[in-house]
Amino acid sequence: MANAVQSYHHGDLRSALIEAATARLSEHGVDSLSLRKLAEDAGVSRTAPYHHFKDKSALLSAIAAKGFSDWHTAAKRIFEQEDKTPQVRFREFVHEYIGYAADNPEMYELMFGRTIWQNQAATNDLKNVAFPCFQFQVTMTRYWQEKGLLPNNQDALRLAQVTWGTLHGIARLLIDGIYADSSHIKEMCDCAADLFMQKQA
Amino acid sequence: MANAVQSYHHGDLRSALIEAATARLSEHGVDSLSLRKLAEDAGVSRTAPYHHFKDKSALLSAIAAKGFSDWHTAAKRIFEQEDKTPQVRFREFVHEYIGYAADNPEMYELMFGRTIWQNQAATNDLKNVAFPCFQFQVTMTRYWQEKGLLPNNQDALRLAQVTWGTLHGIARLLIDGIYADSSHIKEMCDCAADLFMQKQA
DNA sequence: GTTTTATCTTGACAGTGTCAACATAGCCTT
DNA sequence: AAGGCTATGTTGACACTGTCAAGATAAAAC
């Protein structure tokens, strides 16, 4: 920092790139995110990033990994509120999931988009953060099944895939602009929650 | 065709471009689809396509429109099988929806991806084909509600959004490579169908 | 037959990711 | 302290991309 002028090296380019990328991501979207611009943001030449990331996809994976770890802790916080009933927590989880996606559309797009997942492009670092996040969905589902909230005659993994799929699908319809009308998000969340918990209704 | 050598004009470049694009789409994916390659496929210069499409997005929209109209007729065919019970047809619809996505991943990605929908980029031609397709989902939902298949205490539009969201979400998880394991597609479809129809279970 | 319009052409520009070859800064060993 | 190794930075180059501008020709309209 202090020796920025003197020192040939940047100091912590890797962090600087991720930081710049995160800023650009939420502002201009994942599509208009170029390595060259990020390098310029960090005050460094075009190819410098390649000494810290194998390629563009690796950089994106690193950002997505941060997103997954953030969401994982958020999900745990919601799930572990012992002062609330499972029903309330479930409904809250649904709202928070869609809310997270709606509030951070570009980050969500990056985390769950094909850019970093397709063609086995996903980094091991990314998988190590994302898979526990997916697994947590199964854990929660099993818990809600035990509490009689979700149907007990279904395999937990299968049911987790479907419930997660529902949230994911609604989130994507909103984010991708297919449903431009985002004024009824809350109603949609409640409808989904009601549908899953209809045995209690 | 016959006068291809003599004639300065291509003849039906618009159709040729769409055809070439559709072929390339299913083979190499939407991401590696460039106007220049398509022009080359059609035996024409790089900028010729601009006399038939405003820009790349307009070409993609035209292809997607074809996909929507194809799917719409497929959906109607499934829905209108009068010799089968509503239950059977509903389950079949779920399987066919995911099946269509799994069999034509790149087309599905194009149809429901942000590429053509974001930033109000969608052509009017596209909207005119896609919106009736969405609307049909609501029509079917209302019918299944009347038949007692789906919960009747929910708004049809809202419920259609959620059921469609579920199918869409599962389809995307599969297509985007987040669930590489596609060997349990059928089980997931059955689980989703069971979940929606659980009142009858 | 002349004019207008649709269609296609080449040239150019500003981008992009990424590789190769080279330079230096900082640490590690002797 | 000297030399060498490695991490980190540099410029140059290549092959792409979408898209605009300006010019040419074919086809249709008058």
Side-chain angles (χ1 to χ4, degrees):
Chain A
M1 286 289 195
N3 59 348
V5 183
Q6 299 235 355
S7 175
Y8 178 79
H9 286 177
H10 177 281
D12 194 1
L13 182 54
R14 191 189 152 92
S15 301
L17 285 171
I18 292 185
E19 196 172 337
T22 309
R24 267 193 192 273
L25 177 66
S26 59
E27 199 143 342
H28 300 94
V30 62
D31 290 330
S32 68
L33 211 153
S34 89
L35 282 183
R36 292 168 108 106
K37 283 181 195 158
L38 294 179
E40 197 175 9
D41 283 358
V44 102
S45 80
R46 305 141 254 158
T47 57
Y50 284 91
H51 291 271
H52 299 272
F53 300 97
K54 179 180 153 284
D55 54 15
K56 187 183 183 182
S57 181
L59 203 176
L60 296 179
S61 290
I63 304 166
K66 179 72 165 42
F68 274 111
S69 98
D70 283 355
W71 167 246
H72 196 161
T73 62
K76 266 201 277 198
R77 185 181 44 75
I78 300 162
F79 182 66
E80 289 166 356
Q81 293 172 301
E82 312 239 339
D83 54 327
K84 296 179 180 171
T85 67
Q87 278 93 340
V88 170
R89 276 181 279 166
F90 179 80
R91 194 172 292 273
E92 207 166 295
F93 179 81
V94 170
H95 282 262
E96 289 280 333
Y97 188 98
I98 305 294
Y100 175 82
D103 291 342
N104 312 282
E106 297 297 337
M107 178 60 105
Y108 191 92
E109 160 73 27
L110 177 58
M111 289 165 66
F112 296 104
R114 54 166 34 192
T115 317
I116 54 175
W117 289 106
Q118 222 183 21
N119 306 333
Q120 280 79 32
T123 316
N124 277 332
D125 285 358
L126 174 62
K127 289 180 184 169
N128 288 337
V129 186
F131 283 176
C133 203
F134 300 164
Q135 196 57 40
F136 189 60
Q137 185 81 20
V138 183
T139 303
M140 289 188 292
T141 302
R142 192 172 285 117
Y143 172 82
W144 286 323
Q145 280 183 303
E146 287 167 3
K147 292 290 175 184
L149 254 174
L150 295 178
N152 221 326
N153 58 338
Q154 295 284 346
D155 179 54
L157 173 60
R158 218 62 73 214
L159 193 57
Q161 288 170 338
V162 173
T163 54
W164 179 29
T166 302
L167 300 179
H168 181 58
I170 293 173
R172 296 228 57 146
L173 288 179
L174 289 169
I175 287 177
D176 295 347
I178 300 176
Y179 270 157
D181 182 14
S182 56
S183 60
H184 297 107
I185 294 183
K186 284 200 169 66
E187 285 93 330
M188 286 172 65
C189 289
D190 279 326
C191 179
D194 290 343
L195 193 62
F196 291 143
M197 297 191 295
Q198 62 182 312
K199 272 201 169 158
Q200 280 69 38
Chain B
M1 285 288 198
N3 60 346
V5 183
Q6 298 235 356
S7 175
Y8 179 79
H9 285 178
H10 177 281
D12 194 1
L13 183 55
R14 192 189 151 92
S15 302
L17 285 171
I18 292 184
E19 197 173 337
T22 310
R24 266 193 193 275
L25 177 66
S26 58
E27 199 144 342
H28 301 94
V30 61
D31 291 330
S32 69
L33 211 153
S34 90
L35 282 183
R36 292 167 108 105
K37 283 180 195 161
L38 294 179
E40 198 176 9
D41 283 359
V44 102
S45 81
R46 304 139 258 158
T47 58
Y50 284 90
H51 291 269
H52 299 271
F53 300 97
K54 182 179 151 283
D55 54 15
K56 186 182 183 182
S57 181
L59 204 176
L60 295 180
S61 290
I63 303 167
K66 179 70 164 45
F68 274 111
S69 98
D70 283 354
W71 167 246
H72 195 158
T73 63
K76 266 199 278 198
R77 185 181 44 75
I78 300 162
F79 182 66
E80 290 166 355
Q81 293 172 301
E82 311 239 340
D83 54 328
K84 296 178 181 172
T85 67
Q87 279 92 340
V88 170
R89 277 181 279 166
F90 179 79
R91 194 172 293 272
E92 207 167 294
F93 179 81
V94 171
H95 279 83
E96 288 280 334
Y97 188 99
I98 305 293
Y100 176 81
D103 290 342
N104 312 282
E106 297 298 337
M107 178 60 104
Y108 190 92
E109 161 72 26
L110 177 58
M111 289 164 67
F112 297 102
R114 53 168 34 193
T115 317
I116 53 176
W117 290 105
Q118 222 183 22
N119 306 335
Q120 280 79 30
T123 316
N124 276 333
D125 284 358
L126 175 62
K127 287 180 185 169
N128 288 337
V129 186
F131 284 175
C133 203
F134 301 163
Q135 197 57 40
F136 189 60
Q137 185 82 20
V138 184
T139 305
M140 290 188 291
T141 301
R142 192 172 285 116
Y143 172 81
W144 286 321
Q145 280 183 303
E146 287 166 2
K147 292 291 174 183
L149 253 174
L150 295 178
N152 222 327
N153 59 336
Q154 296 283 347
D155 179 55
L157 173 59
R158 217 62 74 214
L159 193 57
Q161 288 169 338
V162 173
T163 54
W164 179 29
T166 302
L167 299 179
H168 181 58
I170 293 174
R172 295 228 59 145
L173 289 178
L174 289 169
I175 286 177
D176 295 348
I178 301 175
Y179 269 156
D181 182 14
S182 56
S183 60
H184 297 109
I185 294 183
K186 285 200 168 68
E187 285 94 328
M188 286 171 65
C189 289
D190 279 326
C191 180
D194 290 343
L195 193 62
F196 292 141
M197 297 192 293
Q198 62 182 311
K199 270 200 170 161
Q200 280 68 36

